[in-house]
Amino acid sequence: MTLTPHLHVEGPSRLVAYDFGAHLAEWTVDGLPVVWLSGHARLDGSRPIRGGVPICFPWFADGPDGDLSPSHGVVRNTSWTSVEPQDGEVWAWRIAREDVAGSAGAVHVPGNFELRYAVAVAGSAQAPVLDLALRVHNPGDDELSVEVALHTYLHVGDVREITVLGLEEATYLDKVTGRVETQDGPVRLRGETDRVYDRSGPVVVEDRTTLRALHVVPRGAAQTVLWNPWADKAAQIEDLGEEEWLRFVCVETAARGERSLRLAPGESVEVGTRVGPTPIGTEAG
């Protein structure tokens, strides 16, 4: 089976998405990718799509205790239902607990849930901004505790030549070493990077190769995850091509572990992110 893409062109923006995982796979501006997609991504529904913006829910990675599968939850392995876009949205989708019943990992879903996810392009034609919004609703009678992340893959010219601003002095869990650290100055990646920062403020990825800055503004979640597998680990990932690890960095809006979302019965919470490219040294629209 080949997944059917949704294509939207608006000014300099070109977006591609799939109902499978409600997955925004590509966003290019003036022909240059902003949201990165692997050239080896499986687009047949056999596995989650490598790149784009996977939606992690209701757990992140292997869950709070490291014992859940599939990795990053159940909704990125399931086709969502398209719903009517609103207020300038390009696309919108919905999924609920009954839609994942019987799928791998469904037994671990912690309670009743409904999700609505929307993709929009804001800003101006000269400075477009991607806006992603995931609304989490608890229709049940008990509190719902869930982990969530928008696992955004950003395109860069060479991950070894980027500087990440906005995480200075933030505490983070380094999942490579298992240690809790404090960020000293801007982030420059020098090897495998898998960090969960206890900060949810604007982040800027300055890319000296493309002379472009990518502005990431999260909302509704307390953490930022920074990830790149680097060469050795990337070689073990079958849907990454040779040296493709050089072309992306993941800057993820996340709520995991002790900072998971906790929703009272009937409560809704929106988790989102805005991404905008600009020339280095200028602000996003």
Side-chain angles (χ1 to χ4, degrees):
M1 177 184 71
T2 300
L3 300 177
T4 301
H6 299 285
L7 173 65
H8 179 84
V9 178
E10 182 177 333
S13 292
R14 180 182 184 274
L15 301 103
V16 178
Y18 296 89
D19 293 336
F20 183 71
H23 198 115
L24 176 67
E26 301 177 59
W27 180 41
T28 61
V29 177
D30 291 324
L32 182 64
V34 180
V35 172
W36 177 88
L37 178 69
S38 170
H40 293 254
R42 298 284 182 83
L43 300 176
D44 59 4
S46 64
R47 61 179 301 152
I49 297 169
R50 174 68 61 186
V53 188
I55 299 172
C56 307
F57 182 94
W59 56 83
F60 182 82
D62 299 326
D65 299 319
D67 58 351
L68 300 181
S69 65
S71 181
H72 292 317
V74 296
V75 301
R76 70 181 189 139
N77 300 294
T78 305
S79 288
W80 295 41
T81 300
S82 292
V83 296
E84 190 68 23
Q86 301 173 358
D87 302 324
E89 296 169 349
V90 175
W91 300 298
W93 295 269
R94 177 191 178 276
I95 198 169
R97 183 179 184 179
E98 59 267 22
D99 299 313
V100 301
S103 64
V107 66
H108 302 302
V109 173
N112 210 352
F113 71 85
E114 293 178 0
L115 305 180
R116 184 184 187 274
Y117 181 60
V119 174
V121 178
S124 64
Q126 295 73 31
V129 176
L130 179 71
D131 190 281
L132 307 175
L134 178 68
R135 188 182 68 200
V136 183
H137 176 63
N138 176 11
D141 298 324
D142 302 310
E143 182 182 78
L144 178 66
S145 178
V146 292
E147 296 184 317
V148 61
L150 298 178
H151 195 311
T152 308
Y153 285 74
L154 300 176
H155 170 82
V156 296
D158 186 333
V159 73
R160 299 168 299 185
E161 299 295 329
I162 68 171
T163 300
V164 182
L165 307 173
L167 298 170
E168 297 84 352
E169 300 183 3
T171 300
Y172 65 90
L173 170 64
D174 189 329
K175 296 181 71 176
V176 176
T177 66
R179 295 195 298 263
V180 175
E181 308 276 4
T182 299
Q183 180 62 43
D184 181 15
V187 183
R188 294 180 177 87
L189 282 67
R190 295 292 180 260
E192 181 186 353
T193 302
D194 191 355
R195 301 177 181 179
V196 182
Y197 286 87
D198 285 330
R199 178 172 294 175
S200 183
V203 170
V204 179
V205 178
E206 290 192 343
D207 184 357
R208 292 184 291 277
T209 304
T210 63
L211 301 179
R212 184 175 68 170
L214 303 178
H215 300 257
V216 181
V217 182
R219 62 183 182 275
Q223 296 163 316
T224 298
V225 175
L226 194 65
W227 181 73
N228 182 283
W230 226 250
D232 289 347
K233 194 163 188 177
Q236 303 169 29
I237 301 175
E238 64 180 71
D239 51 359
L240 271 182
E242 185 177 359
E243 296 195 344
E244 278 196 319
W245 63 273
L246 291 167
R247 305 295 172 235
F248 71 84
V249 62
C250 289
V251 180
E252 310 168 35
T253 300
R256 62 168 295 279
E258 294 181 357
R259 295 177 178 261
S260 300
L261 300 182
R262 291 175 173 81
L263 287 77
E267 185 179 5
S268 296
V269 173
E270 183 176 287
V271 174
T273 191
R274 289 168 67 92
V275 179
T278 70
I280 285 181
T282 59
E283 296 296 323

